[in-house]
Amino acid sequence: MTRLLLETLKNNPGDRVPFWFMRQAGRYLPEYLETRAKSKSFMDFCYSPDLATEVTLQPIRRYGMDGAILFADILVVPDGLGQQVWFETGHGPRLTPVNDEATFSKIGMTGFHEKVGAVYETVRRLRKELPDEVTLLGFAGAPWTVATYMVEGSGSKDHGAARLLGYSKPGLFGRLLDMLVEATSEYLIAQIDAGADAVQIFDSWSAALPEPAFDNWVIEPTRAIVSRIRAKHKEVPIIGFPRLAGSLYKKYVRETGVNAVSLDTGVSLKIGRDIQNMVPVQGNLDPWHVVAGGGGMVAETLRILEGLAGGAHVFNLGHGFVPQTNPEHVAELAKTIKTFRR
């Protein structure tokens, strides 16, 4: 049994390009919405192995992706650290802010694995229920991205609260990132122990940081996580996703030590090919092409497949599916990828 996606992440590509999609289990699927309605809150949904396993499997049944990504949320980690996390309809995530010594003192690793243990159970169930050829992907948010939510207490357009804390109280902010490095490393190692074949680190908000901050808040924590995982699981691929990092993408790859990297929609195929000379790449179809569907979506998909055909490539989106996506367009996209040959 060969897991094509796993082999590609190990830089052993075949003639067919494997694929999975960010947010492939999501609100665009009617079966997802039906399952989601069975849970009283989003965090309860994430902590229900029955429901989380089911929604992870749904897109695999429908489209036959080569990879299944664990259904959870990046805010499981701060929740496990003792920060109160909840979701408000129409507003997204809400957290009790951690932005000074008093609030920082209330969080920590005590009881972390017990709090998030249901996620590990979901991974164990998925490994048993997935077809043998499907690669199981675990994931976590990167420390910088998770910290932006923890400090702000919600999502943010400019992540100003986290940036201000980092600049004005670098010692406190550094301790928060260190705690997140420890928690995220242990969280991902536990997912691998439970059966994940590879893991992805999502740094969704790495854009627009000046280079020194990018080095200290994005590269250094990610490098530390990669090192900790490698000490326990040397052969497991680690995928980085420094979304919108622009000109710092290559530096991120060189200095973090990730095995593969996801490309956002703004990364050109020329740059993608340059990065392919370093590590396998994932990406990078604009998810709004899938909303539009039709010949434009197919043409853009083939452009990406052909443009990255010279190296190890996992087809994916440049960011996740949006709720407006037509499931039939996803079926056409999957068919286009499956029939392409290098």
PDB file of all heavy atoms in Angstrom, residues 148-182:
ATOM      1  N   THR A 148      -2.281  35.966  18.111  1.00  0.00           N
ATOM      2  CA  THR A 148      -3.074  37.134  17.716  1.00  0.00           C
ATOM      3  C   THR A 148      -4.492  37.042  18.266  1.00  0.00           C
ATOM      4  O   THR A 148      -5.077  38.049  18.678  1.00  0.00           O
ATOM      5  CB  THR A 148      -3.127  37.313  16.183  1.00  0.00           C
ATOM      6  OG1 THR A 148      -3.841  36.240  15.574  1.00  0.00           O
ATOM      7  CG2 THR A 148      -1.732  37.433  15.589  1.00  0.00           C
ATOM      8  N   TYR A 149      -5.061  35.844  18.279  1.00  0.00           N
ATOM      9  CA  TYR A 149      -6.399  35.649  18.852  1.00  0.00           C
ATOM     10  C   TYR A 149      -6.365  35.744  20.375  1.00  0.00           C
ATOM     11  O   TYR A 149      -7.261  36.331  20.991  1.00  0.00           O
ATOM     12  CB  TYR A 149      -6.955  34.280  18.445  1.00  0.00           C
ATOM     13  CG  TYR A 149      -7.333  34.163  16.993  1.00  0.00           C
ATOM     14  CD1 TYR A 149      -6.455  33.627  16.066  1.00  0.00           C
ATOM     15  CD2 TYR A 149      -8.582  34.583  16.548  1.00  0.00           C
ATOM     16  CE1 TYR A 149      -6.794  33.504  14.724  1.00  0.00           C
ATOM     17  CE2 TYR A 149      -8.945  34.466  15.211  1.00  0.00           C
ATOM     18  CZ  TYR A 149      -8.046  33.930  14.303  1.00  0.00           C
ATOM     19  OH  TYR A 149      -8.386  33.815  12.981  1.00  0.00           O
ATOM     20  N   MET A 150      -5.342  35.161  20.985  1.00  0.00           N
ATOM     21  CA  MET A 150      -5.264  35.125  22.437  1.00  0.00           C
ATOM     22  C   MET A 150      -5.136  36.524  23.028  1.00  0.00           C
ATOM     23  O   MET A 150      -5.732  36.830  24.063  1.00  0.00           O
ATOM     24  CB  MET A 150      -4.078  34.262  22.880  1.00  0.00           C
ATOM     25  CG  MET A 150      -4.216  32.794  22.525  1.00  0.00           C
ATOM     26  SD  MET A 150      -2.794  31.801  23.061  1.00  0.00           S
ATOM     27  CE  MET A 150      -3.066  31.749  24.841  1.00  0.00           C
ATOM     28  N   VAL A 151      -4.348  37.370  22.386  1.00  0.00           N
ATOM     29  CA  VAL A 151      -4.116  38.719  22.906  1.00  0.00           C
ATOM     30  C   VAL A 151      -5.303  39.638  22.610  1.00  0.00           C
ATOM     31  O   VAL A 151      -5.760  40.395  23.465  1.00  0.00           O
ATOM     32  CB  VAL A 151      -2.817  39.304  22.329  1.00  0.00           C
ATOM     33  CG1 VAL A 151      -2.628  40.747  22.770  1.00  0.00           C
ATOM     34  CG2 VAL A 151      -1.615  38.456  22.752  1.00  0.00           C
ATOM     35  N   GLU A 152      -5.824  39.565  21.396  1.00  0.00           N
ATOM     36  CA  GLU A 152      -6.929  40.432  20.983  1.00  0.00           C
ATOM     37  C   GLU A 152      -8.241  40.029  21.638  1.00  0.00           C
ATOM     38  O   GLU A 152      -9.100  40.868  21.925  1.00  0.00           O
ATOM     39  CB  GLU A 152      -7.079  40.374  19.457  1.00  0.00           C
ATOM     40  CG  GLU A 152      -8.108  41.329  18.888  1.00  0.00           C
ATOM     41  CD  GLU A 152      -7.557  42.721  18.638  1.00  0.00           C
ATOM     42  OE1 GLU A 152      -6.343  42.848  18.353  1.00  0.00           O
ATOM     43  OE2 GLU A 152      -8.344  43.677  18.737  1.00  0.00           O
ATOM     44  N   GLY A 153      -8.413  38.711  21.831  1.00  0.00           N
ATOM     45  CA  GLY A 153      -9.686  38.210  22.337  1.00  0.00           C
ATOM     46  C   GLY A 153     -10.679  37.930  21.230  1.00  0.00           C
ATOM     47  O   GLY A 153     -11.839  37.596  21.485  1.00  0.00           O
ATOM     48  N   SER A 154     -10.241  38.033  19.977  1.00  0.00           N
ATOM     49  CA  SER A 154     -11.089  37.785  18.810  1.00  0.00           C
ATOM     50  C   SER A 154     -10.202  37.827  17.575  1.00  0.00           C
ATOM     51  O   SER A 154      -8.990  38.022  17.675  1.00  0.00           O
ATOM     52  CB  SER A 154     -12.183  38.855  18.689  1.00  0.00           C
ATOM     53  OG  SER A 154     -11.604  40.126  18.427  1.00  0.00           O
ATOM     54  N   GLY A 155     -10.811  37.670  16.425  1.00  0.00           N
ATOM     55  CA  GLY A 155     -10.092  37.902  15.190  1.00  0.00           C
ATOM     56  C   GLY A 155      -9.824  39.392  15.015  1.00  0.00           C
ATOM     57  O   GLY A 155     -10.419  40.237  15.701  1.00  0.00           O
ATOM     58  N   SER A 156      -8.927  39.735  14.101  1.00  0.00           N
ATOM     59  CA  SER A 156      -8.530  41.129  13.923  1.00  0.00           C
ATOM     60  C   SER A 156      -8.049  41.336  12.498  1.00  0.00           C
ATOM     61  O   SER A 156      -7.467  40.437  11.896  1.00  0.00           O
ATOM     62  CB  SER A 156      -7.401  41.479  14.907  1.00  0.00           C
ATOM     63  OG  SER A 156      -6.797  42.704  14.589  1.00  0.00           O
ATOM     64  N   LYS A 157      -8.272  42.540  11.969  1.00  0.00           N
ATOM     65  CA  LYS A 157      -7.809  42.842  10.617  1.00  0.00           C
ATOM     66  C   LYS A 157      -6.316  43.135  10.566  1.00  0.00           C
ATOM     67  O   LYS A 157      -5.645  42.810   9.598  1.00  0.00           O
ATOM     68  CB  LYS A 157      -8.598  44.030  10.044  1.00  0.00           C
ATOM     69  CG  LYS A 157     -10.052  43.703   9.738  1.00  0.00           C
ATOM     70  CD  LYS A 157     -10.751  44.889   9.096  1.00  0.00           C
ATOM     71  CE  LYS A 157     -12.192  44.542   8.735  1.00  0.00           C
ATOM     72  NZ  LYS A 157     -12.902  45.688   8.111  1.00  0.00           N
ATOM     73  N   ASP A 158      -5.801  43.794  11.608  1.00  0.00           N
ATOM     74  CA  ASP A 158      -4.392  44.191  11.572  1.00  0.00           C
ATOM     75  C   ASP A 158      -3.554  43.561  12.683  1.00  0.00           C
ATOM     76  O   ASP A 158      -2.350  43.803  12.754  1.00  0.00           O
ATOM     77  CB  ASP A 158      -4.262  45.710  11.627  1.00  0.00           C
ATOM     78  CG  ASP A 158      -4.826  46.307  12.926  1.00  0.00           C
ATOM     79  OD1 ASP A 158      -5.235  45.545  13.825  1.00  0.00           O
ATOM     80  OD2 ASP A 158      -4.856  47.552  13.032  1.00  0.00           O
ATOM     81  N   HIS A 159      -4.209  42.765  13.570  1.00  0.00           N
ATOM     82  CA  HIS A 159      -3.493  42.085  14.661  1.00  0.00           C
ATOM     83  C   HIS A 159      -2.714  43.085  15.504  1.00  0.00           C
ATOM     84  O   HIS A 159      -1.635  42.784  16.029  1.00  0.00           O
ATOM     85  CB  HIS A 159      -2.584  40.988  14.097  1.00  0.00           C
ATOM     86  CG  HIS A 159      -3.201  40.260  12.942  1.00  0.00           C
ATOM     87  ND1 HIS A 159      -4.386  39.590  13.045  1.00  0.00           N
ATOM     88  CD2 HIS A 159      -2.835  40.163  11.637  1.00  0.00           C
ATOM     89  CE1 HIS A 159      -4.726  39.089  11.870  1.00  0.00           C
ATOM     90  NE2 HIS A 159      -3.805  39.429  10.996  1.00  0.00           N
ATOM     91  N   GLY A 160      -3.287  44.280  15.619  1.00  0.00           N
ATOM     92  CA  GLY A 160      -2.606  45.369  16.302  1.00  0.00           C
ATOM     93  C   GLY A 160      -2.327  45.093  17.763  1.00  0.00           C
ATOM     94  O   GLY A 160      -1.267  45.481  18.280  1.00  0.00           O
ATOM     95  N   ALA A 161      -3.255  44.432  18.454  1.00  0.00           N
ATOM     96  CA  ALA A 161      -3.054  44.180  19.882  1.00  0.00           C
ATOM     97  C   ALA A 161      -1.849  43.275  20.112  1.00  0.00           C
ATOM     98  O   ALA A 161      -1.043  43.512  21.019  1.00  0.00           O
ATOM     99  CB  ALA A 161      -4.312  43.567  20.491  1.00  0.00           C
ATOM    100  N   ALA A 162      -1.710  42.243  19.286  1.00  0.00           N
ATOM    101  CA  ALA A 162      -0.571  41.328  19.432  1.00  0.00           C
ATOM    102  C   ALA A 162       0.736  42.023  19.041  1.00  0.00           C
ATOM    103  O   ALA A 162       1.763  41.857  19.707  1.00  0.00           O
ATOM    104  CB  ALA A 162      -0.776  40.076  18.577  1.00  0.00           C
ATOM    105  N   ARG A 163       0.701  42.804  17.986  1.00  0.00           N
ATOM    106  CA  ARG A 163       1.909  43.514  17.574  1.00  0.00           C
ATOM    107  C   ARG A 163       2.335  44.521  18.637  1.00  0.00           C
ATOM    108  O   ARG A 163       3.534  44.634  18.971  1.00  0.00           O
ATOM    109  CB  ARG A 163       1.674  44.213  16.236  1.00  0.00           C
ATOM    110  CG  ARG A 163       1.508  43.215  15.093  1.00  0.00           C
ATOM    111  CD  ARG A 163       0.755  43.771  13.925  1.00  0.00           C
ATOM    112  NE  ARG A 163       1.589  44.600  13.061  1.00  0.00           N
ATOM    113  CZ  ARG A 163       1.249  44.920  11.810  1.00  0.00           C
ATOM    114  NH1 ARG A 163       0.105  44.489  11.319  1.00  0.00           N
ATOM    115  NH2 ARG A 163       2.041  45.651  11.079  1.00  0.00           N
ATOM    116  N   LEU A 164       1.365  45.221  19.222  1.00  0.00           N
ATOM    117  CA  LEU A 164       1.679  46.191  20.262  1.00  0.00           C
ATOM    118  C   LEU A 164       2.273  45.503  21.492  1.00  0.00           C
ATOM    119  O   LEU A 164       3.264  45.989  22.060  1.00  0.00           O
ATOM    120  CB  LEU A 164       0.423  46.974  20.640  1.00  0.00           C
ATOM    121  CG  LEU A 164       0.601  48.041  21.740  1.00  0.00           C
ATOM    122  CD1 LEU A 164       1.634  49.075  21.316  1.00  0.00           C
ATOM    123  CD2 LEU A 164      -0.740  48.693  22.058  1.00  0.00           C
ATOM    124  N   LEU A 165       1.683  44.386  21.892  1.00  0.00           N
ATOM    125  CA  LEU A 165       2.221  43.662  23.042  1.00  0.00           C
ATOM    126  C   LEU A 165       3.636  43.173  22.751  1.00  0.00           C
ATOM    127  O   LEU A 165       4.524  43.243  23.616  1.00  0.00           O
ATOM    128  CB  LEU A 165       1.315  42.483  23.404  1.00  0.00           C
ATOM    129  CG  LEU A 165       1.666  41.747  24.704  1.00  0.00           C
ATOM    130  CD1 LEU A 165       1.441  42.660  25.908  1.00  0.00           C
ATOM    131  CD2 LEU A 165       0.847  40.473  24.852  1.00  0.00           C
ATOM    132  N   GLY A 166       3.852  42.685  21.531  1.00  0.00           N
ATOM    133  CA  GLY A 166       5.175  42.203  21.162  1.00  0.00           C
ATOM    134  C   GLY A 166       6.229  43.295  21.191  1.00  0.00           C
ATOM    135  O   GLY A 166       7.377  43.065  21.593  1.00  0.00           O
ATOM    136  N   TYR A 167       5.840  44.508  20.781  1.00  0.00           N
ATOM    137  CA  TYR A 167       6.789  45.628  20.754  1.00  0.00           C
ATOM    138  C   TYR A 167       6.964  46.274  22.136  1.00  0.00           C
ATOM    139  O   TYR A 167       8.071  46.679  22.502  1.00  0.00           O
ATOM    140  CB  TYR A 167       6.328  46.698  19.767  1.00  0.00           C
ATOM    141  CG  TYR A 167       6.327  46.256  18.319  1.00  0.00           C
ATOM    142  CD1 TYR A 167       5.340  46.701  17.442  1.00  0.00           C
ATOM    143  CD2 TYR A 167       7.308  45.405  17.818  1.00  0.00           C
ATOM    144  CE1 TYR A 167       5.331  46.320  16.107  1.00  0.00           C
ATOM    145  CE2 TYR A 167       7.298  45.012  16.495  1.00  0.00           C
ATOM    146  CZ  TYR A 167       6.315  45.465  15.636  1.00  0.00           C
ATOM    147  OH  TYR A 167       6.309  45.087  14.322  1.00  0.00           O
ATOM    148  N   SER A 168       5.870  46.390  22.884  1.00  0.00           N
ATOM    149  CA  SER A 168       5.928  47.133  24.150  1.00  0.00           C
ATOM    150  C   SER A 168       6.324  46.260  25.332  1.00  0.00           C
ATOM    151  O   SER A 168       6.943  46.744  26.286  1.00  0.00           O
ATOM    152  CB  SER A 168       4.583  47.801  24.433  1.00  0.00           C
ATOM    153  OG  SER A 168       3.555  46.835  24.585  1.00  0.00           O
ATOM    154  N   LYS A 169       5.965  44.979  25.279  1.00  0.00           N
ATOM    155  CA  LYS A 169       6.298  44.057  26.367  1.00  0.00           C
ATOM    156  C   LYS A 169       6.887  42.777  25.768  1.00  0.00           C
ATOM    157  O   LYS A 169       6.281  41.705  25.825  1.00  0.00           O
ATOM    158  CB  LYS A 169       5.064  43.736  27.208  1.00  0.00           C
ATOM    159  CG  LYS A 169       4.471  44.963  27.896  1.00  0.00           C
ATOM    160  CD  LYS A 169       3.252  44.592  28.736  1.00  0.00           C
ATOM    161  CE  LYS A 169       2.682  45.835  29.420  1.00  0.00           C
ATOM    162  NZ  LYS A 169       1.464  45.499  30.218  1.00  0.00           N
ATOM    163  N   PRO A 170       8.072  42.891  25.160  1.00  0.00           N
ATOM    164  CA  PRO A 170       8.632  41.732  24.458  1.00  0.00           C
ATOM    165  C   PRO A 170       8.891  40.535  25.364  1.00  0.00           C
ATOM    166  O   PRO A 170       8.794  39.395  24.911  1.00  0.00           O
ATOM    167  CB  PRO A 170       9.937  42.282  23.865  1.00  0.00           C
ATOM    168  CG  PRO A 170      10.269  43.496  24.674  1.00  0.00           C
ATOM    169  CD  PRO A 170       8.950  44.078  25.081  1.00  0.00           C
ATOM    170  N   GLY A 171       9.197  40.767  26.637  1.00  0.00           N
ATOM    171  CA  GLY A 171       9.422  39.653  27.544  1.00  0.00           C
ATOM    172  C   GLY A 171       8.164  38.838  27.765  1.00  0.00           C
ATOM    173  O   GLY A 171       8.182  37.600  27.672  1.00  0.00           O
ATOM    174  N   LEU A 172       7.061  39.508  28.034  1.00  0.00           N
ATOM    175  CA  LEU A 172       5.780  38.830  28.232  1.00  0.00           C
ATOM    176  C   LEU A 172       5.334  38.130  26.954  1.00  0.00           C
ATOM    177  O   LEU A 172       4.909  36.966  26.982  1.00  0.00           O
ATOM    178  CB  LEU A 172       4.722  39.838  28.682  1.00  0.00           C
ATOM    179  CG  LEU A 172       3.288  39.312  28.814  1.00  0.00           C
ATOM    180  CD1 LEU A 172       3.205  38.194  29.844  1.00  0.00           C
ATOM    181  CD2 LEU A 172       2.330  40.455  29.177  1.00  0.00           C
ATOM    182  N   PHE A 173       5.443  38.837  25.838  1.00  0.00           N
ATOM    183  CA  PHE A 173       5.010  38.230  24.584  1.00  0.00           C
ATOM    184  C   PHE A 173       5.883  37.030  24.231  1.00  0.00           C
ATOM    185  O   PHE A 173       5.386  36.016  23.731  1.00  0.00           O
ATOM    186  CB  PHE A 173       5.055  39.268  23.459  1.00  0.00           C
ATOM    187  CG  PHE A 173       4.353  38.824  22.203  1.00  0.00           C
ATOM    188  CD1 PHE A 173       2.990  38.593  22.195  1.00  0.00           C
ATOM    189  CD2 PHE A 173       5.055  38.643  21.020  1.00  0.00           C
ATOM    190  CE1 PHE A 173       2.335  38.186  21.033  1.00  0.00           C
ATOM    191  CE2 PHE A 173       4.414  38.240  19.858  1.00  0.00           C
ATOM    192  CZ  PHE A 173       3.052  38.007  19.866  1.00  0.00           C
ATOM    193  N   GLY A 174       7.173  37.124  24.508  1.00  0.00           N
ATOM    194  CA  GLY A 174       8.063  35.993  24.271  1.00  0.00           C
ATOM    195  C   GLY A 174       7.700  34.787  25.112  1.00  0.00           C
ATOM    196  O   GLY A 174       7.758  33.646  24.633  1.00  0.00           O
ATOM    197  N   ARG A 175       7.292  35.007  26.358  1.00  0.00           N
ATOM    198  CA  ARG A 175       6.873  33.884  27.211  1.00  0.00           C
ATOM    199  C   ARG A 175       5.579  33.250  26.705  1.00  0.00           C
ATOM    200  O   ARG A 175       5.402  32.031  26.771  1.00  0.00           O
ATOM    201  CB  ARG A 175       6.723  34.359  28.649  1.00  0.00           C
ATOM    202  CG  ARG A 175       8.078  34.483  29.348  1.00  0.00           C
ATOM    203  CD  ARG A 175       8.089  35.506  30.466  1.00  0.00           C
ATOM    204  NE  ARG A 175       6.991  35.313  31.405  1.00  0.00           N
ATOM    205  CZ  ARG A 175       6.412  36.316  32.081  1.00  0.00           C
ATOM    206  NH1 ARG A 175       6.807  37.559  31.884  1.00  0.00           N
ATOM    207  NH2 ARG A 175       5.440  36.051  32.919  1.00  0.00           N
ATOM    208  N   LEU A 176       4.690  34.090  26.167  1.00  0.00           N
ATOM    209  CA  LEU A 176       3.471  33.541  25.571  1.00  0.00           C
ATOM    210  C   LEU A 176       3.811  32.670  24.367  1.00  0.00           C
ATOM    211  O   LEU A 176       3.286  31.553  24.218  1.00  0.00           O
ATOM    212  CB  LEU A 176       2.533  34.678  25.162  1.00  0.00           C
ATOM    213  CG  LEU A 176       1.256  34.277  24.412  1.00  0.00           C
ATOM    214  CD1 LEU A 176       0.398  33.335  25.256  1.00  0.00           C
ATOM    215  CD2 LEU A 176       0.458  35.513  24.003  1.00  0.00           C
ATOM    216  N   LEU A 177       4.701  33.151  23.491  1.00  0.00           N
ATOM    217  CA  LEU A 177       5.097  32.347  22.332  1.00  0.00           C
ATOM    218  C   LEU A 177       5.804  31.063  22.774  1.00  0.00           C
ATOM    219  O   LEU A 177       5.582  29.999  22.185  1.00  0.00           O
ATOM    220  CB  LEU A 177       6.002  33.164  21.411  1.00  0.00           C
ATOM    221  CG  LEU A 177       5.354  34.329  20.657  1.00  0.00           C
ATOM    222  CD1 LEU A 177       6.396  35.047  19.807  1.00  0.00           C
ATOM    223  CD2 LEU A 177       4.195  33.855  19.778  1.00  0.00           C
ATOM    224  N   ASP A 178       6.626  31.134  23.809  1.00  0.00           N
ATOM    225  CA  ASP A 178       7.299  29.932  24.307  1.00  0.00           C
ATOM    226  C   ASP A 178       6.292  28.906  24.804  1.00  0.00           C
ATOM    227  O   ASP A 178       6.445  27.699  24.566  1.00  0.00           O
ATOM    228  CB  ASP A 178       8.267  30.290  25.443  1.00  0.00           C
ATOM    229  CG  ASP A 178       9.507  31.021  24.962  1.00  0.00           C
ATOM    230  OD1 ASP A 178       9.783  31.005  23.738  1.00  0.00           O
ATOM    231  OD2 ASP A 178      10.205  31.619  25.808  1.00  0.00           O
ATOM    232  N   MET A 179       5.273  29.379  25.516  1.00  0.00           N
ATOM    233  CA  MET A 179       4.230  28.468  25.982  1.00  0.00           C
ATOM    234  C   MET A 179       3.506  27.826  24.801  1.00  0.00           C
ATOM    235  O   MET A 179       3.200  26.623  24.814  1.00  0.00           O
ATOM    236  CB  MET A 179       3.227  29.207  26.870  1.00  0.00           C
ATOM    237  CG  MET A 179       2.129  28.305  27.449  1.00  0.00           C
ATOM    238  SD  MET A 179       0.890  29.211  28.420  1.00  0.00           S
ATOM    239  CE  MET A 179       1.877  29.712  29.831  1.00  0.00           C
ATOM    240  N   LEU A 180       3.258  28.618  23.768  1.00  0.00           N
ATOM    241  CA  LEU A 180       2.586  28.085  22.591  1.00  0.00           C
ATOM    242  C   LEU A 180       3.473  27.108  21.825  1.00  0.00           C
ATOM    243  O   LEU A 180       2.976  26.133  21.253  1.00  0.00           O
ATOM    244  CB  LEU A 180       2.135  29.228  21.680  1.00  0.00           C
ATOM    245  CG  LEU A 180       0.912  29.997  22.181  1.00  0.00           C
ATOM    246  CD1 LEU A 180       0.690  31.264  21.377  1.00  0.00           C
ATOM    247  CD2 LEU A 180      -0.336  29.113  22.130  1.00  0.00           C
ATOM    248  N   VAL A 181       4.772  27.342  21.814  1.00  0.00           N
ATOM    249  CA  VAL A 181       5.687  26.372  21.203  1.00  0.00           C
ATOM    250  C   VAL A 181       5.582  25.034  21.925  1.00  0.00           C
ATOM    251  O   VAL A 181       5.459  23.973  21.286  1.00  0.00           O
ATOM    252  CB  VAL A 181       7.142  26.889  21.231  1.00  0.00           C
ATOM    253  CG1 VAL A 181       8.122  25.749  20.933  1.00  0.00           C
ATOM    254  CG2 VAL A 181       7.329  28.010  20.223  1.00  0.00           C
ATOM    255  N   GLU A 182       5.617  25.064  23.242  1.00  0.00           N
ATOM    256  CA  GLU A 182       5.526  23.815  24.006  1.00  0.00           C
ATOM    257  C   GLU A 182       4.188  23.119  23.778  1.00  0.00           C
ATOM    258  O   GLU A 182       4.141  21.915  23.480  1.00  0.00           O
ATOM    259  CB  GLU A 182       5.705  24.107  25.500  1.00  0.00           C
ATOM    260  CG  GLU A 182       5.615  22.862  26.370  1.00  0.00           C
ATOM    261  CD  GLU A 182       5.745  23.139  27.853  1.00  0.00           C
ATOM    262  OE1 GLU A 182       5.814  24.330  28.245  1.00  0.00           O
ATOM    263  OE2 GLU A 182       5.768  22.166  28.640  1.00  0.00           O
TER     264      GLU A 182
END
